[in-house]
């Protein structure tokens, strides 16, 4: 029998339970995959806590994983049993030994990228791709601000932005994370627990400020992020680890320099299959080239997902964390 992590009510890590589930055979357009590794992401906490509502309860959890195709349903022609695959944008249910999944969500893994690496990079790497290649297209000579620079998305985004010729300013919470961020592409780090990041950005840029801020922290940083932007700058709010941003007086955007604010999601950017494939190919290429290195800093058995959630929420993790099946 297949086991999975599910939750029957929203709440803290304690609501996660390890239980038997019935997977069944794939229907039209579906594939059944056996997981080898599952990615841990902050959005999983949002789903578990109820900040992002699940379609129904009980619910599975997780939207990123890697494994092997066991069976395909009617109409699936580009996958076959035995194919190594990964995904970073799917219906909830990655925290499982096996699952059914829309085949359109799956991407064949190229040689040279192992399953654990794939599970650590798909959601975070695809997020980095849309942020720096689409939401605001980072170019050589740009100086950008990245919050949570030592996090999973942060370590990928900063390496990739440096590869593109940008200078990355990253905010972190301690010296250990500052060192990690510097090792992964950040030219400057700001410890926001003891430094005013608005003042430091102004000093680093000589008063010019930055064209874009990538903010996954939310409530604690957002308004100050606006103060770091040059006129016509873009604030890309792609997470809210410190809580939701309060309603915004749009007049502030005019006062602070005709700014742009966006709340992008991977789900939207990768909604069309052709876009998802193009994004993944660009991610695979930059990883295979060595320009972006994916490092898994923590692993937990899948059945210990609650412990992983506790550590992630307490900021005890850095970089990518993978749940092993």
């Amino acid at each position: 029998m297949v086991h999975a992590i599910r939750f029957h009510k929203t709440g803290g890590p304690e609501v996660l339970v390890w239980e038997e589930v019935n997977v069944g055979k794939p229907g039209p357009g579906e594939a059944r995959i056996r997981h080898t590794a599952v990615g841990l992401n902050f959005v999983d906490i949002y789903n578990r806590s109820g900040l992002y509502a699940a379609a129904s309860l009980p619910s599975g959890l997780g939207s990123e994983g890697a494994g092997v195709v066991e069976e395909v349903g009617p109409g699936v022609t580009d996958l076959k049993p035995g194919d190594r695959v990964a995904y970073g944008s799917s219906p909830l249910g990655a925290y499982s030994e096996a699952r059914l999944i829309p085949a359109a969500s799956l991407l064949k893994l190229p040689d040279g990228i192992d399953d654990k690496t794939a599970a650590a990079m798909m959601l975070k790497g695809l997020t980095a791709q849309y942020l720096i290649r689409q939401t605001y297209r980072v170019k050589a000579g740009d100086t950008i601000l990245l919050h949570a620079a030592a996090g999973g998305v942060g370590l990928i985004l900063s390496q990739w932005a440096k590869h593109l010729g940008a200078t990355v300013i990253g905010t972190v919470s301690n010296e250990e994370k500052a060192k990690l961020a510097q090792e992964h592409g950040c030219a400057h780090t700001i410890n926001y627990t003891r430094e005013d990041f608005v003042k430091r950005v102004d000093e680093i840029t000589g008063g010019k400020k930055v064209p874009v801020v990538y903010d996954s922290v939310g409530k604690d940083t957002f308004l100050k992020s606006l103060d770091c932007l040059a006129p016509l700058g873009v604030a890309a709010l792609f997470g809210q680890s410190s809580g939701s941003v309060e309603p915004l007086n749009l007049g502030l955007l005019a006062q602070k320099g005709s700014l742009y604010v966006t709340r992008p999601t991977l789900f939207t950017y990768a909604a069309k299959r052709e876009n998802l494939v193009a994004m993944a190919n660009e991610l695979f290429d930059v990883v295979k080239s060595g320009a972006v290195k994916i490092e898994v800093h923590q692993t937990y058995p899948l059945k210990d997902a609650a412990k992983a959630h506790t550590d992630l929420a307490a900021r005890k993790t850095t970089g990518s964390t993978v749940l092993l099946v």
Side-chain angles (χ1 to χ4, degrees):
M1 195 72 177
V2 172
H3 284 78
I5 291 284
R6 298 207 300 169
F7 59 103
H8 293 252
K9 61 181 180 180
T10 58
E14 70 281 356
V15 303
L16 299 179
V17 292
W18 179 246
E19 60 187 20
E20 289 186 350
V21 294
N22 180 34
V23 176
K25 295 179 70 65
E30 290 185 327
R32 175 178 166 131
I33 64 169
R34 173 174 48 82
H35 284 125
T36 52
V38 174
L40 175 72
N41 296 281
F42 220 98
V43 70
D44 301 344
I45 292 178
Y46 300 159
N47 292 128
R48 184 211 71 219
S49 68
L51 181 64
Y52 291 176
S56 62
L57 293 175
S59 174
L61 193 62
S63 55
E64 174 181 48
V68 179
V69 175
E70 291 188 316
E71 187 178 355
V72 298
V76 178
T77 58
D78 55 347
L79 292 172
K80 64 183 185 304
D83 282 345
R84 294 177 57 242
V85 292
Y87 59 93
S89 179
S90 78
L92 297 182
Y95 286 26
S96 59
E97 293 175 324
R99 73 175 297 189
L100 300 179
I101 188 170
S105 299
L106 297 174
L107 297 151
K108 289 185 182 179
L109 282 175
D111 294 338
I113 296 180
D114 62 50
D115 291 11
K116 188 167 77 170
T117 299
M121 71 183 254
M122 295 306 299
L123 188 149
K124 290 174 280 288
L126 291 170
T127 297
Q129 194 283 338
Y130 80 69
L131 287 170
I132 66 173
R133 304 293 288 155
Q134 299 183 71
T135 301
Y136 173 88
R137 196 169 178 87
V138 171
K139 58 188 182 299
D142 280 344
T143 297
I144 68 174
L145 177 61
L146 169 65
H147 290 303
V153 173
L155 294 183
I156 295 173
L157 192 153
S158 53
Q159 291 180 82
W160 201 336
K162 181 181 179 181
H163 174 64
L164 294 171
T167 298
V168 183
I169 304 170
T171 69
V172 294
S173 60
N174 59 49
E175 293 310 309
E176 179 187 1
K177 290 185 177 183
K179 184 174 184 291
L180 185 65
Q182 290 161 5
E183 291 170 350
H184 290 79
C186 282
H188 308 275
T189 53
I190 302 169
N191 184 337
Y192 64 80
T193 65
R194 54 182 179 81
E195 296 180 283
D196 181 340
F197 71 79
V198 177
K199 182 179 178 182
R200 287 289 294 124
V201 167
D202 201 57
E203 292 170 353
I204 291 166
T205 62
K208 293 181 179 179
K209 303 188 179 183
V210 297
V212 63
V213 179
Y214 295 112
D215 190 340
S216 61
V217 177
K219 183 178 180 180
D220 290 351
T221 54
F222 182 71
L223 288 178
K224 287 188 173 183
S225 291
L226 299 182
D227 290 331
C228 295
L229 286 169
L232 307 182
V234 177
L237 180 71
F238 67 100
Q240 50 202 50
S241 60
S242 68
S244 300
V245 174
E246 293 179 359
L248 179 66
N249 173 6
L250 295 182
L252 283 176
L253 303 181
Q255 296 170 21
K256 295 178 183 294
S258 300
L259 304 180
Y260 295 85
V261 172
T262 181
R263 183 58 175 87
T265 69
L266 176 58
F267 180 80
T268 306
Y269 278 88
K272 294 182 179 178
R273 173 70 181 176
E274 59 268 31
N275 293 344
L276 173 62
V277 171
M279 292 165 66
N281 286 339
E282 189 169 4
L283 173 62
F284 291 151
D285 287 346
V286 79
V287 170
K288 288 191 297 180
S289 75
V292 172
K293 294 179 174 59
I294 307 297
E295 297 172 1
V296 177
H297 290 173
Q298 301 85 206
T299 62
Y300 300 78
L302 177 59
K303 63 183 178 62
D304 293 340
K307 169 64 173 169
H309 275 226
T310 299
D311 290 349
L312 178 62
R315 306 282 203 279
K316 292 182 179 179
T317 65
T318 59
S320 295
T321 301
V322 168
L323 307 173
L324 298 177
V325 183

